[in-house]
Amino acid sequence: MKVPFIDLQRAHAPLKEELIEAFSRTIDHGGYCLGPDVDAFEAGFAEEQHVAGCVGVGSGTEALHLIALAMGVGPGDEVVVPAFTFIASAWFAQYVGAKVVFADVDSNTFTVTRGSIEKVVTDKTKAIVVTHLFGQAADMEPIMAFAMERGIKVVEDAAQAHLAQYKGRYVGDIGDAAAFSFYPTKNLGGLGEGGAVTSRDSALLEQIRILRAHGSKERYLNHFVGYNNRMEGLQAAALNVKLPHLRGKTARRQRIARGYLGGISNKDIQLPMPTRYGESVYHMFTIRHPERDRLKAYLAEQGIGSDIVYPYPLHLQPCFSFLGYREGDFPVAEEVAKTCLSLPIVPELTDEEIDYVIKALNAFA
Ligand SMILES: Cc1ncc(COP(=O)(O)O)c(C=O)c1O
């Protein structure tokens, strides 16, 4: 049997007719950059994600960049960023000339904690990027309380956490602003690049609207130095087709995860244990194993796809060598990067495929 790690064709095949019809409508009305599909998506996603407001942009990376600009983060400021996350979480600070200051992560949730943040905060800290990695919300209450005491902004990187909840609240509505990604492999993905900013702060969202369109509110009148970061109509059209399926697909990911948690009994495998404060939406199901590379090769021999997400902690990335971090600075992030392996969890997988993966993992010695 072959079990793919990701299979976008399988995900899109049943929606193909509907997608083509949606694209056809977009071609006819001509709203290619922003336009009616984007308006509908912004409203629909805000409702589904239970956030006050949403602005569609070109990618999750650009969502982070525009939030940093709108918050006035810049040279002389420090921004706390998880040492284990996707690189774009750090671009939030780097793109605007602020200093990236890494913090270690928790060994079970792979997210930053109040404790790890407190260790690296200084008087210059202007913002904290909290990534809800792999669909698991970080423990936000203590982080928000600390940030509030210190007057520090909290930015949720929710690129991997559509519909994730924390103590009954949806992510994207907890910090001062949040970035979502609709990259094709995300829990909600388009057929190309896409992203969004969500926030309760309507002034900040208005600023994002201006920044994403060349700093302009009125045609050819540019109030600020702006960017070309509009969400495209065709991407919004695809996302509008996929959005009604998100809740069901998320529930399927959670069922697969429960299958893994209940079925994997290999003692050398460390499972991502559910937290007290909210259920993950399992963008990834990431286990740890002391012989990760041997396990990955073994799974490949059995026809099972897996991926190392992520093999390098950010503080040891060549692009950040100028910051002077050394091996040993963030032991948990380093250990996770050496031992993590993400298993197939896309919602289109069959129960038979999941059982096959579980059996293979339990037979690995
Ligand atoms: C945690 C995280 N942050 C930010 C991004 C950036 O999103 P995009 O790929 O849409 O630019 C991603 C997506 O890859 C991500 O996983």
Side-chain angles (χ1 to χ4, degrees):
M1 190 184 277
K2 283 232 173 304
V3 185
F5 180 67
I6 297 279
D7 190 344
L8 292 174
Q9 287 83 352
R10 210 197 281 198
H12 290 141
L15 299 173
K16 201 165 166 186
E17 295 297 312
E18 224 184 314
L19 285 166
I20 291 169
E21 278 166 29
F23 293 154
S24 171
R25 284 193 297 276
T26 309
I27 291 166
D28 290 344
H29 68 57
Y32 304 142
C33 303
L34 300 181
D37 298 303
V38 175
D39 293 345
F41 177 69
E42 289 178 345
F45 185 66
E47 194 179 325
E48 199 61 35
Q49 188 67 36
H50 292 71
V51 292
C54 167
V55 178
V57 296
S59 68
T61 303
E62 283 311 327
L64 287 162
H65 181 198
L66 297 186
I67 294 170
L69 290 165
M71 284 182 170
V73 178
D77 296 327
E78 291 182 3
V79 177
V80 177
V81 173
F84 185 74
T85 175
F86 183 63
I87 192 80
S89 305
W91 295 155
F92 170 89
Q94 194 59 43
Y95 283 0
V96 294
K99 182 175 177 199
V100 177
V101 175
F102 290 112
D104 212 346
V105 294
D106 175 80
S107 62
N108 181 50
T109 61
F110 312 134
T111 60
V112 286
T113 62
R114 174 176 176 147
S116 73
I117 293 165
E118 270 184 289
K119 282 192 189 145
V120 299
V121 155
T122 74
D123 290 344
K124 292 183 180 160
T125 307
K126 174 107 175 202
I128 303 165
V129 178
V130 179
T131 307
H132 304 305
L133 201 71
F134 305 152
Q136 169 64 59
D139 192 2
M140 291 301 285
E141 245 168 39
I143 295 174
M144 291 308 297
F146 174 69
M148 212 110 88
E149 278 163 29
R150 302 284 295 247
I152 298 170
K153 298 274 188 203
V154 174
V155 178
E156 295 176 77
D157 183 339
Q160 305 184 358
H162 316 75
L163 298 192
Q165 291 188 37
Y166 174 79
K167 295 192 175 176
R169 280 175 77 185
Y170 282 79
V171 305
D173 188 45
I174 302 170
D176 295 286
F180 285 85
S181 166
F182 307 112
Y183 183 77
T185 56
K186 294 293 191 269
N187 288 23
L188 177 62
L191 273 67
E193 308 281 352
V197 175
T198 65
S199 180
R200 285 180 304 283
D201 182 344
S202 52
L204 181 130
L205 289 182
E206 182 53 21
Q207 188 69 7
I208 302 278
R209 276 198 187 88
I210 295 169
L211 288 168
R212 77 175 168 180
H214 297 288
S216 162
K217 240 194 304 196
E218 190 183 324
R219 205 155 176 243
Y220 300 131
L221 181 64
N222 304 84
H223 306 271
F224 308 96
V225 175
Y227 298 80
N228 180 0
N229 280 323
R230 296 171 288 222
M231 178 177 264
E232 294 184 353
L234 286 169
Q235 290 312 326
L239 290 166
N240 286 330
V241 169
K242 293 183 73 178
L243 183 61
H245 301 281
L246 178 60
R247 222 159 261 280
K249 297 270 183 194
T250 303
R252 173 72 187 146
R253 282 179 188 268
Q254 291 168 333
R255 271 201 306 281
I256 295 173
R258 280 196 291 275
Y260 279 148
L261 289 168
I264 300 172
S265 55
N266 187 324
K267 294 281 173 287
D268 294 327
I269 292 176
Q270 195 174 323
L271 296 164
M273 295 313 286
T275 59
R276 287 168 289 104
Y277 54 72
E279 203 182 349
S280 174
V281 292
Y282 295 102
H283 174 59
M284 295 282 151
F285 189 93
T286 303
I287 60 169
R288 291 172 57 200
H289 191 284
E291 290 181 81
R292 183 264 316 277
D293 294 338
R294 193 166 70 80
L295 175 59
K296 186 175 189 329
Y298 160 82
L299 289 175
E301 275 165 26
Q302 311 293 312
I304 298 168
S306 64
D307 200 8
I308 300 170
V309 186
Y310 300 96
Y312 310 105
L314 296 197
H315 64 289
L316 301 180
Q317 288 280 5
C319 66
F320 287 127
S321 61
F322 70 95
L323 292 171
Y325 287 103
R326 293 275 172 270
E327 202 156 345
D329 284 342
F330 300 110
V332 181
E334 290 167 26
E335 184 61 19
V336 171
K338 280 187 194 132
T339 55
C340 67
L341 189 66
S342 297
L343 302 179
I345 194 158
V346 291
E348 296 75 28
L349 292 174
T350 64
D351 290 349
E352 293 68 38
E353 287 172 321
I354 298 304
D355 285 346
Y356 178 71
V357 177
I358 293 170
K359 285 201 181 88
L361 288 165
N362 289 343
F364 180 68

